[in-house]
Amino acid sequence: MSRAAGERRAGGDGLAWTRAQRKRLRGPLHPHPLDPPGRPPSGEACWQALVERYRGEAPWRQRGNEGPTEAIRASDARVRASLEAGEAPGELAAGDEFVRAAIALYDHLNGAPPPDGRVERALVGFWVGAAGLPFAIEMLAGEAGFATSGVYSPMTYFRLDLLAPTANAGAFRVQSEIFWCALRAHVVALPEGDARYAAALEAAEAAWARGGDATRVGCALAFPREPRWAAEVATDALARPARGDFWWASKRCCVLASLADLAIADEFTAALAQPPGSWAHLVADYALDLVDVLGARAAGPLATVLASAGLAPARRALAAALVLASPESARATAARLAAGPAHAALTAALAK
């Protein structure tokens, strides 16, 4: 028996999840005995991670503070002083926290930020722990009073410069999927009926009402208990042209992690699987999240996308998720495919 097989345990959805699969979920909608402990991290742990990261870039700490206005230069000085001393501010101000995010993401001596989301999780976890979910949502839905730029050199990754926003250098924002995924972990950790969830939802509804596409996609990703948002984003995407365009797919694909409407999930994944550019590899990144939301019903959309997957890692991920959702559907799909790379991926997944 493989280690993975020995770690399988059926949760409330009756599916045989493994510990490794639960760990890869962005923020499970349905709790499970195999979910890793200590997630989401505490605000204090996140603050310490930010402090340690800043202190590891010692040469930058001695340079002068720069910014387009006196207020932003003062904000930069306050943020660097708090990180230097390791003392978290008593109250958070959005202006200072945008500066903190820019420093954490871009001001580095020893290479690029880790690509695994550690910096983003630390920032969001600190904001949630110190000021609550509504404040964190306002950060992710807002924008700074400055733009970011920097100077590259052979020995550095990036030396941050703060500039006045222009048409070519827009205001700095923390809008990426990684930030919303970090927020999702804190949202789903709250029990249903919790007053903190209600406050977070109110803030997210306000952000949704005034926000653009990026904010709405983020809200849908972070709030899987509000599936109407994911359904609206996916339906809106299906009504737009250029479905074969990478940006159409990549900026909206993440709502699969919250998409509970099977009919829309079928149509959305079918659109992502169509030429001229099949985006099956993007769907594969959310395959396990789709199973977490839809359970056994995820088998249909996964089978549709698997047949069009052109990359071996994507085929393996989609096949594993399809077997998890419904071994019976996986066997039927393998029989229908009869041969080829997708059939081989399913056969290997079924054998585990």
Side-chain angles (χ1 to χ4, degrees), residues 260-283:
D261 187 306
L262 179 58
I264 298 176
D266 278 330
E267 188 177 0
F268 192 41
T269 50
L272 289 163
Q274 290 174 1
S278 170
W279 309 117
H281 61 289
L282 298 177
V283 179

Side-chain angles (χ1 to χ4, degrees), residues 19-266:
R19 196 177 302 277
Q21 288 171 331
R22 298 300 300 185
K23 187 176 181 179
R24 288 199 293 272
L25 291 174
R26 286 165 169 78
L29 178 60
H30 302 106
H32 190 280
L34 294 180
D35 287 335
R39 189 168 66 178
S42 69
E44 177 59 30
C46 291
W47 169 251
Q48 290 303 321
L50 293 173
V51 170
E52 291 170 9
R53 181 160 183 77
Y54 181 78
R55 288 177 173 175
E57 307 297 340
W60 287 147
R61 300 208 307 264
Q62 305 305 318
R63 69 185 182 91
N65 300 300
E66 299 178 1
T69 67
E70 183 178 348
I72 290 175
R73 290 191 291 273
S75 180
D76 184 277
R78 282 193 300 272
V79 168
R80 292 180 185 274
S82 71
L83 291 167
E84 177 75 34
E87 297 178 359
E91 292 186 11
L92 302 193
D96 285 4
E97 295 313 310
F98 277 120
V99 171
R100 194 182 314 279
I103 291 171
L105 289 168
Y106 297 130
D107 213 15
H108 301 301
L109 175 68
N110 299 315
D116 57 7
R118 274 181 285 169
V119 176
E120 292 84 351
R121 287 194 296 272
L123 286 164
V124 171
F126 168 59
W127 294 333
V128 172
L133 275 165
F135 179 85
I137 291 167
E138 289 299 312
M139 289 295 300
L140 270 61
E143 64 181 29
F146 57 83
T148 55
S149 184
V151 178
Y152 292 91
S153 83
M155 296 181 63
T156 66
Y157 169 64
F158 206 78
R159 172 171 171 165
L160 175 68
D161 288 326
L162 304 179
L163 311 170
T166 66
N168 295 324
F172 173 68
R173 308 183 78 177
V174 287
Q175 272 280 5
S176 75
E177 168 206 344
I178 302 175
F179 279 100
W180 290 106
C181 282
L183 184 72
R184 176 186 173 114
H186 294 271
V187 171
V188 299
L190 296 175
E192 292 189 44
D194 192 294
R196 291 169 297 175
Y197 182 87
L201 180 57
E202 182 178 358
E205 286 174 336
W208 172 280
R210 69 174 186 270
D213 284 349
T215 297
R216 293 188 172 194
V217 169
C219 288
L221 174 59
F223 284 79
R225 292 181 193 153
E226 313 303 324
R228 67 189 187 279
W229 285 346
E232 185 169 332
V233 169
T235 300
D236 178 69
L238 288 166
R240 298 189 183 199
R243 293 185 184 181
D245 181 79
F246 173 77
W247 295 110
W248 178 92
S250 65
K251 298 301 182 183
R252 297 169 177 83
C253 191
C254 63
V255 299
L256 287 169
S258 302
L259 195 52
D261 187 306
L262 179 58
I264 298 176
D266 278 330

